[in-house]
Amino acid sequence: MSLDDAQIVNVNPQLQSPDTLQNSSSHGGGFQSKSWRASSVQEVGFVDFGSKSVPQGSQGGGADSEGLSLSMSHREIDNEDARLVYVNDALKTNERFEFAGNSIRTAKYSVLSFLPRNLFEQFHRVAYIYFLLIAILNQLPQLAVFGRGASILPLSIVLLVTAVKDAYEDWRRHRSDRIENNRMSSILVNDRFQQKKWKDIQVGEIIRLSANDTIPCDIVLLSTSDPTGVAYIQTINLDGESNLKTRYAKQETLSRIPEKDRMNGLIKCEKPNRNIYGFHATMEFDGKHLSLGPSNIVLRGCVLKNTNSAVGVAVYAGSETKAMLNSSGAPSKRSRLETRMNQEIILLSIFLVALCTVVSVCAGVWLGRHRDDLDILPFYRKLDYSEPEAENYNYSGLGMEILFTFLMSVIVFQIMIPISLYISMELVRVGQAYFMIRDDKMYDKTSNSRFQCRALNINEDLGQIKYVFSDKTGTLTENKMEFKYASILGVDYSGEGTDFDGEQRGYCIQGATLNGQVWRPKMMVKVDKELLQLSQTGNNMKASKQIYDFFLALAACNTIVPIVVDTSDPAEKLVDYQGESPDEQALVYAAAAYGFMLMERTSGHIVIDIQGERQRFNVLGMHEFDSDRKRMSVILGCPDDTVKVIVKGADSSMFKIIDKSFNLDVLRATESHLHSYSSIGLRTLVVGMRELGIPEFEQWQSSYETASTAVMGRVALLRKVAINLENNLNVVGASAIEDRLQMGVPEAIESLRKAGIKVWVLTGDKQETAISIGYSSRLLTSNMSQVVINSNSKESCRKSLEDALITSRKFVVSGDPHAGGFGALIIDGTSLVYILDSELEEQLFQLANHCAVVLCCRVAPLQKAGIVALIKNRADDMTLAIGDGANDVSMIQMADVGIGISGQEGRQAVMASDFAMGQFRFLVPLLLVHGHWNYQRMAYMILYNFYRNAVFVLVLFWYVLFTGFTLTTAVTEWSSVLYSVLYTSVPTIIVAILDKDVSRRSLLTYPQLYGTGQRQESYNAKLFWLTIADTLWQSIVVFFVPLFVYWKSDIDGSSLGDLWTLAVVFLVNVHLAMDVIRWSWISHASIWGSIVATCICVIIIDIIPVLPGYWAIFDLASKGSFWICLLGIQITAIVPRFGIKMFIQHCKPSDIQIAREAEKFGNSVESRGTEIEMNPPRR
């Protein structure tokens, strides 16, 4: 059925008949929807205790869904920790100016603050302070080595480039802020609604919203166009979820008309906080004390949908809104490679100090030896004889001259610390991010989303990951639930021996009230024929009565909102069930397929079409799902004048509250069915029900009202009320829902394990479900031994860990070759309660370190973070966490690298992550391909930058030793300045972005190549010192070859300086070219173009008469000795490096070199079916 031309239609159930429609537009894919109530609802008798409708919460759902109890995060409010908001009295509310206005500012700078603040932030890098001090020292007459302008040029260029980038980004923020602050809303002023800019809205003002309006600030709903006070909210701008949420106005404020009725009241709410799922407040209105919760507040950035209008009062504005408090972004992280690089920079600093110390000490010794000749030596004249009376040349004494020499040495050798490296790293990371984002292999067609790089500073960490911590639901699986099986009254309706009715188009309703239209559920569900027939026989027989109760519970015990969607066929409508829990959606669709079709939901009642007969049920109360109880419950007033409490939840919590006199055979059969469902990877729920007597209901109602209006301890009191209600239940049945694996997950996990990456799965699901998913995803194998720890005490955990450790150590000693480790550790959340944050953590770490796979079941969100911290704090390995929901945020932020999946559970994980993508399988190209390339390129670039700068500094150092330690330099000051900024910087950046040591195909074919990053083969102390040794040799060649060639000649210092400059630039570029693996025209242009650019610059410098060395290069290049010397330097300097590389490659090749050779002969190898043998893995 085509939905391309669908429309959404909103029907006001009290003011019009179903055939009178009010259109409202929507942003979602051309759809329009309607929330409706059929006028032909059979108004049969039902119990009405005169109770207020209990607000329904934000999160219902099965216990198997990995949700953190949102209500658990509410802070208890007290008189000192409260904000007072006077309704419709902004002056009194803000008389002490303690509340923020509604103007927002995401920009960091103003015109006046930009320069000082931006410079302050940039100088957080110690290297910048170092170069600033160098430039300041060079301004002093006693220490001036370079020209004053030239000395400050490199730092100025780096600061300017960064400042321009920051200014552009901040200009975009200012523009966005201006647009946002100048949007208009309707505000109540002097009993009339007037248009007002968002930035002028104040806390306490009453705001009126129309359909499709964006909420300007956090408001408490006072009334809506719906007579029951319900409003439908889209929170996609807040958390990325497109499903509509329900929010409610209190019945006491619902009937008030702001323009006519003076609305006065006092809201006492918690102070601003970041919890977007919690709100804790009370309201005094017309002498009544009302409780307010998360279902009564609408947050800034949400959009009003399918509701004609709503009125609310502002409680949080501007920077104090929950959306703004959550807009801080992901925490700043620093890559491990950069941290290690800083250690090497400290070593280079020590080396620099050593060079300067040698020069200054030698200068002191030289001055001491020649102290009697200083007056007359032409190159060191102590006295000025140009005047009739000789004067001192500002000679400050031996001690001060040594100090000045030391400081001048620092100025001359300053580029030993590579200032250009920092900006080069930033540019390279931007380039790497571009190619990751544009990689079509990481493009998700289903969600139309590309890879997102949210943290540029840790790209290279992707190539060093050792541990992957993964959520299950929505990360390994699709999080698209499909109802599969049911167990009702101990009978298993799993489709075994029966046929699914796949040919029919599913359950539908039609009648006079629908003007002949056919309405059917949007999603089709396969049904069991036997169960379908039994569900249609009414509720007279015991089995049929149980089936009736089961599907009634599925249709009623939830927070799903039915939305009717028009299709291209005017005679057919689709009912779309929207809610926050995919489990609930699957269950409601299943109930509709069996003839129990949810038609309408308000804050006070629901309407269900049961086998063609519409029935209305009063919703007398609801207790939301939370992770402590692991269940939710609803109290229904039924058409037969009875009151029922329906509870659904996890079997671990439900079987504790079953009536002891319940049929044990049915109970055992249900437990057996649950085990079989879990064993094949299905998510299970148990449904229970009992009737509630009037006295018991009145007692519950009294307790609920007392708890919900409590100022202190409200959350705990409400939980206690729920626990007292949820007892002595009869088991109605159990459901099984399938959450299919995402495409490519088994292959991805297998590749990750071959790459030496340990994959841990942390899930809130049952142990059997997690194990089943483990097998289907190839995380677990049949030959893998399993250690299961399910303990209920600390001592029991201790014994289990000790026994498992003994077994694992025996395995290690015996050397039994299991792939990747001892086996699989399976542990539940209850055991982790006793292990984490205790002395048992170390034993768990040792055991997990021996295991190839770890499965953690029934874990809470904070336990996920605790497990990541367990490895991160004890091992020297890199960790990565990947998840898709709000319950994964703490885990993602704890890991070295956090990845968010943009899936079905909103964008909370994405917003807290460093990188984001659409599917788990994209982890393979991200880590094995881009991660490897990023690490190898960045590691090479850092070492190359150290070499490039050090070889130039050492040439200057050798020259100082031959010129009386006077720190005169043959290289012109402009060449010294431009060396690392212009002469050699571009090729480094280009190669670090484009070069590939191995092809994508080889990296995916041989995942073990990823181990080079884990073992830090491309950047380590050994390579650093080898680089320094090679640098030392090359600097000696560059300096001494020209020195010997032109010894006792009439060549001047400037000519030698030009030769050394060209020799070094030629050498470092040839060195770079020798290491390039994949050549492209850009690589050729950057490397050879850099050499050409250097020659041009040297010529330009030498044709300026006012600069030293005028015309030197022309005189030098006219002689053949210059060209022979230049060529000889390149050959002599490079030969040792070339020889060692060839020796290693042929006698002791690395895995990368083996794979590279295999690429050259790939076709012939494949045709012979030969397998490439890599080096044995190193642990």
Side-chain angles (χ1 to χ4, degrees):
M1 182 181 306
S2 174
L3 302 180
D4 294 338
D5 301 319
Q7 294 182 344
I8 290 183
V9 188
N10 186 27
V11 178
N12 189 322
Q14 299 294 331
L15 301 180
Q16 53 192 347
S17 61
D19 56 342
T20 306
L21 306 179
Q22 293 182 346
N23 294 328
S24 64
S25 63
S26 172
H27 297 301
F31 284 94
Q32 294 188 340
S33 53
K34 69 179 173 181
S35 169
W36 60 279
R37 173 185 174 185
S39 58
S40 60
V41 172
Q42 183 180 2
E43 295 291 349
V44 294
F46 56 86
V47 178
D48 187 356
F49 295 101
S51 64
K52 298 191 293 285
S53 298
V54 179
Q56 301 176 48
S58 59
Q59 174 90 19
D64 282 353
S65 61
E66 301 174 25
L68 176 62
S69 171
L70 303 177
S71 60
M72 291 296 293
S73 61
H74 297 173
R75 282 189 301 115
E76 306 298 352
I77 190 171
D78 55 39
N79 291 325
E80 295 181 357
D81 191 27
R83 142 178 304 213
L84 302 180
V85 178
Y86 295 90
V87 178
N88 199 23
D89 193 345
L91 289 177
K92 188 174 182 180
T93 301
N94 296 275
E95 61 183 354
R96 289 187 294 170
F97 303 101
E98 59 180 281
F99 302 149
N102 200 42
S103 176
I104 65 163
R105 179 178 174 180
T106 59
K108 295 170 61 177
Y109 311 107
S110 66
V111 175
L112 295 178
S113 68
F114 175 77
L115 188 60
R117 185 173 177 183
N118 185 260
L119 289 175
F120 176 77
E121 290 176 352
Q122 290 199 59
F123 278 105
H124 272 71
R125 281 181 165 164
V126 179
Y128 288 8
I129 298 177
Y130 162 78
F131 282 100
L132 178 64
L133 293 176
I134 295 294
I136 292 173
L137 289 175
N138 195 72
Q139 307 306 307
L140 302 178
Q142 299 91 336
L143 305 177
V145 177
F146 302 129
R148 295 182 178 181
S151 65
I152 204 167
L153 184 63
L155 180 61
S156 300
I157 292 176
V158 172
L159 293 176
L160 180 63
V161 170
T162 307
V164 170
K165 176 182 73 73
D166 292 344
Y168 174 70
E169 291 177 351
D170 207 58
W171 174 78
R172 294 180 61 186
R173 295 190 196 102
H174 274 289
R175 184 179 62 178
S176 175
D177 291 346
R178 188 165 55 252
I179 294 172
E180 188 80 358
N181 288 329
N182 289 325
R183 297 174 73 173
M184 305 297 290
S185 277
S186 186
I187 310 298
L188 186 66
V189 180
N190 298 326
D191 298 329
R192 290 181 58 192
F193 281 104
Q194 301 177 6
Q195 290 295 306
K196 197 173 185 180
K197 291 182 179 180
W198 278 22
K199 64 182 180 181
D200 298 326
I201 295 175
Q202 293 181 297
V203 173
E205 289 185 325
I206 292 179
I207 304 169
R208 182 172 65 187
L209 304 163
S210 301
N212 301 311
D213 279 355
T214 302
I215 314 303
C217 56
D218 295 352
I219 65 172
V220 168
L221 280 180
L222 298 176
S223 64
T224 72
S225 56
D226 189 288
T228 62
V230 67
Y232 299 107
I233 303 297
Q234 188 179 67
T235 61
I236 192 168
N237 293 331
L238 191 65
D239 59 15
E241 297 183 7
S242 58
N243 288 334
L244 298 184
K245 316 295 191 302
T246 51
R247 297 293 183 265
Y248 303 92
K250 303 300 288 186
Q251 296 293 324
E252 288 76 4
T253 63
L254 190 58
S255 59
R256 296 298 186 91
I257 301 175
E259 297 97 321
K260 298 180 181 179
D261 303 325
R262 182 67 180 172
M263 300 187 74
N264 292 320
L266 174 62
I267 296 177
K268 182 180 179 182
C269 60
E270 58 192 349
K271 289 184 177 179
N273 60 76
R274 299 178 60 178
N275 183 9
I276 63 175
Y277 301 106
F279 179 64
H280 190 184
T282 59
M283 179 166 63
E284 296 176 7
F285 194 84
D286 286 349
K288 297 180 180 179
H289 192 71
L290 311 175
S291 64
L292 301 174
S295 60
N296 305 120
I297 188 172
V298 185
L299 304 184
R300 179 188 179 115
C302 298
V303 180
L304 188 68
K305 289 286 186 182
N306 301 324
T307 307
N308 291 334
S309 64
V311 175
V313 58
V315 290
Y316 304 120
S319 60
E320 295 179 339
T321 57
K322 294 179 182 291
M324 293 303 298
L325 291 173
N326 278 278
S327 64
S328 59
S332 177
K333 296 178 181 178
R334 174 174 290 185
S335 74
R336 177 165 295 188
L337 200 60
E338 187 173 350
T339 303
R340 181 63 186 268
M341 179 194 77
N342 290 336
Q343 299 176 11
E344 262 71 60
I345 286 181
I346 292 174
L347 291 176
L348 288 177
S349 302
I350 296 172
F351 186 50
L352 173 63
V353 171
L355 292 181
C356 297
T357 302
V358 169
V359 172
S360 58
V361 170
C362 290
V365 172
W366 189 92
L367 289 172
R369 286 182 176 179
H370 299 82
R371 60 180 176 270
D372 297 331
D373 304 324
L374 294 181
D375 292 340
I376 57 174
L377 285 176
F379 50 85
Y380 195 99
R381 185 173 290 177
K382 178 179 171 184
L383 296 178
D384 182 6
Y385 292 99
S386 61
E387 299 294 332
E389 185 177 347
E391 295 181 359
N392 197 310
Y393 259 127
N394 296 323
Y395 184 74
S396 305
L398 183 61
M400 291 302 296
E401 289 295 324
I402 291 175
L403 176 61
F404 289 155
T405 302
F406 180 88
L407 295 178
M408 292 169 68
S409 302
V410 173
I411 295 173
V412 173
F413 304 148
Q414 60 179 292
I415 63 170
M416 178 66 78
I417 310 299
I419 186 174
S420 61
L421 176 58
Y422 290 98
I423 195 167
S424 296
M425 290 177 69
E426 297 297 327
L427 294 173
V428 167
R429 285 166 174 162
V430 170
Q432 292 172 347
Y434 172 80
F435 285 109
M436 288 192 289
I437 293 169
R438 302 304 300 173
D439 189 351
D440 290 336
K441 302 296 183 183
M442 295 194 292
Y443 169 69
D444 184 24
K445 293 181 179 179
T446 57
S447 61
N448 191 29
S449 61
R450 287 193 174 273
F451 178 81
Q452 298 178 42
C453 189
R454 298 170 52 82
L456 286 175
N457 52 340
I458 58 172
N459 291 352
E460 56 271 24
D461 281 349
L462 295 170
Q464 305 172 78
I465 301 300
K466 183 66 176 178
Y467 289 89
V468 169
F469 300 91
S470 175
D471 174 39
K472 183 188 78 66
T473 304
T475 304
L476 298 179
T477 62
E478 293 181 347
N479 201 20
K480 294 179 180 178
M481 310 302 175
E482 181 181 348
F483 182 85
K484 299 296 288 184
Y485 307 138
S487 171
I488 304 174
L489 199 62
V491 179
D492 178 17
Y493 298 97
S494 61
E496 297 176 3
T498 65
D499 295 324
F500 283 102
D501 192 7
E503 298 300 322
Q504 70 163 12
R505 300 195 64 193
Y507 181 79
C508 63
I509 58 173
Q510 62 185 96
T513 58
L514 301 179
N515 297 325
Q517 293 177 340
V518 176
W519 291 17
R520 64 177 76 253
K522 182 180 177 181
M523 190 175 76
M524 309 304 295
V525 177
K526 289 183 177 181
V527 295
D528 184 290
K529 280 188 174 180
E530 179 186 359
L531 182 57
L532 181 63
Q533 291 172 357
L534 289 172
S535 68
Q536 295 171 346
T537 59
N539 58 354
N540 299 322
M541 301 171 53
K542 182 177 180 181
S544 301
K545 175 67 167 60
Q546 203 80 359
I547 292 171
Y548 176 92
D549 288 343
F550 177 77
F551 286 115
L552 173 64
L554 297 190
C557 189
N558 54 70
T559 57
I560 292 295
V561 177
I563 306 293
V564 175
V565 182
D566 288 350
T567 69
S568 56
D569 184 359
E572 187 165 315
K573 309 287 184 182
L574 296 182
V575 181
D576 181 15
Y577 293 121
Q578 295 210 5
E580 300 178 34
S581 168
D583 297 79
E584 283 193 342
Q585 289 176 299
L587 294 176
V588 175
Y589 276 118
Y594 285 96
F596 291 72
M597 192 167 175
L598 178 64
M599 308 284 283
E600 177 187 345
R601 175 178 297 279
T602 71
S603 61
H605 71 270
I606 57 175
V607 174
I608 303 175
D609 184 289
I610 301 177
Q611 305 299 340
E613 179 184 1
R614 247 172 266 185
Q615 299 188 23
R616 169 173 166 155
F617 298 82
N618 270 15
V619 180
L620 305 175
M622 179 178 286
H623 287 284
E624 302 172 4
F625 172 86
D626 68 57
S627 59
D628 281 350
R629 291 165 37 247
K630 295 182 180 173
R631 54 183 180 263
M632 73 168 294
S633 57
V634 62
I635 302 172
L636 288 186
C638 301
D640 59 358
D641 294 347
T642 61
V643 177
K644 293 181 179 178
V645 55
I646 302 173
V647 186
K648 70 174 182 183
D651 56 353
S652 58
S653 67
M654 290 294 293
F655 286 133
K656 298 175 183 177
I657 57 176
I658 297 300
D659 188 350
K660 303 300 181 185
S661 62
F662 188 75
N663 189 322
L664 290 180
D665 293 334
V666 173
L667 204 59
R668 292 193 188 99
T670 303
E671 288 179 324
S672 175
H673 298 156
L674 286 169
H675 185 271
S676 63
Y677 297 157
S678 300
S679 299
I680 57 175
L682 302 181
R683 297 160 63 87
T684 59
L685 284 173
V686 175
V687 179
M689 182 185 295
R690 71 180 175 94
E691 288 194 11
L692 207 59
I694 294 179
E696 189 177 2
F697 172 78
E698 290 177 342
Q699 181 182 356
W700 168 85
Q701 185 183 32
S702 175
S703 301
Y704 183 88
E705 291 182 350
T706 301
S708 61
T709 56
V711 176
M712 296 292 293
R714 184 193 303 177
V715 174
L717 290 173
L718 285 172
R719 191 183 306 116
K720 184 178 180 181
V721 171
I723 291 172
N724 291 336
L725 174 72
E726 297 162 347
N727 55 57
N728 298 323
L729 300 175
N730 295 321
V731 173
V732 177
S735 65
I737 300 172
E738 182 183 28
D739 185 11
R740 291 189 296 270
L741 279 177
Q742 293 179 12
M743 183 175 66
V745 166
E747 295 80 6
I749 290 179
E750 189 173 12
S751 293
L752 293 175
R753 292 183 61 194
K754 286 181 179 178
I757 298 173
K758 294 187 176 183
V759 181
W760 292 26
V761 175
L762 316 179
T763 176
D765 277 339
K766 292 181 61 177
Q767 182 174 297
E768 295 85 357
T769 303
I771 292 174
S772 175
I773 293 293
Y775 279 113
S776 59
S777 64
R778 300 184 194 171
L779 190 67
L780 301 176
T781 59
S782 57
N783 65 341
M784 188 179 286
S785 57
Q786 295 182 6
V787 175
V788 181
I789 299 180
N790 295 331
S791 303
N792 294 315
S793 68
K794 190 171 184 178
E795 288 305 316
S796 177
C797 288
R798 190 191 308 276
K799 187 176 187 308
S800 299
L801 288 171
E802 290 173 351
D803 293 343
L805 275 171
I806 292 172
T807 306
S808 65
R809 284 166 183 159
K810 288 180 180 178
F811 167 83
V812 173
V813 172
S814 64
D816 191 14
H818 274 289
F822 159 61
L825 170 63
I826 301 166
I827 188 169
D828 65 354
T830 305
S831 302
L832 289 172
V833 170
Y834 300 106
I835 295 174
L836 296 179
D837 297 323
S838 73
E839 69 276 8
L840 299 180
E841 271 193 349
E842 183 60 32
Q843 290 178 281
L844 177 61
F845 169 73
Q846 293 177 13
L847 176 60
N849 206 34
H850 290 311
C851 294
V853 176
V854 177
L855 271 176
C856 300
C857 318
R858 296 294 197 191
V859 290
L862 289 179
Q863 286 180 319
K864 292 183 178 183
I867 294 165
V868 175
L870 176 74
I871 298 299
K872 184 178 176 182
N873 296 336
R874 284 174 168 77
D876 194 32
D877 297 311
M878 297 288 293
T879 59
L880 179 149
I882 180 171
D884 73 317
N887 55 343
D888 303 315
V889 168
S890 55
M891 171 180 73
I892 286 172
Q893 294 183 337
M894 177 60 68
D896 294 304
V897 177
I899 296 182
I901 297 287
S902 49
Q904 303 293 316
E905 293 189 22
R907 294 181 54 84
Q908 300 96 320
V910 170
M911 291 186 289
S913 66
D914 305 306
F915 305 96
M917 54 192 186
Q919 298 281 326
F920 179 86
R921 70 177 186 274
F922 297 158
L923 207 56
V924 173
L926 177 64
L927 297 185
L928 271 57
V929 179
H930 291 286
H932 172 84
W933 284 342
N934 293 346
Y935 166 74
Q936 182 272 333
R937 293 163 174 168
M938 190 65 74
Y940 178 82
M941 190 188 77
I942 292 172
L943 288 174
Y944 177 80
N945 270 269
F946 290 161
Y947 148 78
R948 182 191 69 184
N949 285 25
V951 71
F952 190 76
V953 168
L954 287 172
V955 169
L956 299 178
F957 174 74
W958 303 130
Y959 184 78
V960 167
L961 298 185
F962 281 83
T963 53
F965 317 103
T966 56
L967 291 167
T968 56
T969 171
V971 178
T972 64
E973 62 183 34
W974 285 105
S975 289
S976 296
V977 167
L978 295 175
Y979 174 75
S980 60
V981 176
L982 178 63
Y983 292 175
T984 58
S985 60
V986 175
T988 315
I989 296 170
I990 296 299
V991 171
I993 294 175
L994 298 180
D995 195 31
K996 300 174 182 178
D997 60 339
V998 191
S999 68
R1000 174 193 290 266
R1001 181 181 179 186
S1002 293
L1003 290 170
L1004 294 177
T1005 305
Y1006 310 111
Q1008 58 266 45
L1009 295 176
Y1010 184 78
T1012 58
Q1014 296 171 334
R1015 297 187 293 271
Q1016 300 179 12
E1017 291 183 4
S1018 297
Y1019 189 89
N1020 51 53
K1022 179 181 177 182
L1023 281 176
F1024 174 77
W1025 291 113
L1026 284 174
T1027 300
I1028 296 300
D1030 188 29
T1031 301
L1032 187 62
W1033 162 254
Q1034 293 190 24
S1035 70
I1036 291 173
V1037 172
V1038 170
F1039 177 79
F1040 286 100
V1041 168
L1043 186 67
F1044 293 146
V1045 169
Y1046 292 102
W1047 190 260
K1048 295 184 179 180
S1049 70
D1050 59 353
I1051 191 171
D1052 63 347
S1054 295
S1055 298
L1056 270 179
D1058 287 344
L1059 175 55
W1060 281 323
T1061 299
L1062 293 174
V1064 171
V1065 172
F1066 279 39
L1067 179 61
V1068 297
N1069 279 286
V1070 170
H1071 178 115
L1072 179 63
M1074 200 172 78
D1075 292 334
V1076 173
I1077 307 300
R1078 310 277 170 174
W1079 282 95
S1080 65
W1081 70 267
I1082 301 179
S1083 302
H1084 279 292
S1086 63
I1087 292 176
W1088 313 124
S1090 178
I1091 293 176
V1092 172
T1094 302
C1095 294
I1096 294 173
C1097 288
V1098 170
I1099 291 172
I1100 292 174
I1101 292 171
D1102 280 0
I1103 62 176
I1104 300 176
V1106 296
L1107 295 180
Y1110 177 66
W1111 218 252
I1113 186 64
F1114 298 101
D1115 182 57
L1116 184 67
S1118 63
K1119 299 174 184 177
S1121 58
F1122 165 78
W1123 300 103
I1124 296 173
C1125 185
L1126 200 58
L1127 180 61
I1129 289 172
Q1130 310 304 312
I1131 296 173
T1132 309
I1134 290 293
V1135 162
R1137 175 180 177 83
F1138 180 79
I1140 293 172
K1141 283 189 68 172
M1142 291 300 100
F1143 175 79
I1144 293 175
Q1145 188 163 339
H1146 285 84
C1147 299
K1148 194 179 179 181
S1150 66
D1151 288 345
I1152 297 295
Q1153 291 167 337
I1154 294 173
R1156 199 180 299 146
E1157 288 298 313
E1159 288 176 5
K1160 296 179 182 178
F1161 309 101
N1163 293 333
S1164 59
V1165 169
E1166 288 179 5
S1167 64
R1168 296 196 304 267
T1170 307
E1171 185 175 346
I1172 305 302
E1173 183 180 352
M1174 298 289 180
N1175 291 319
R1178 284 169 279 179
R1179 294 183 59 85

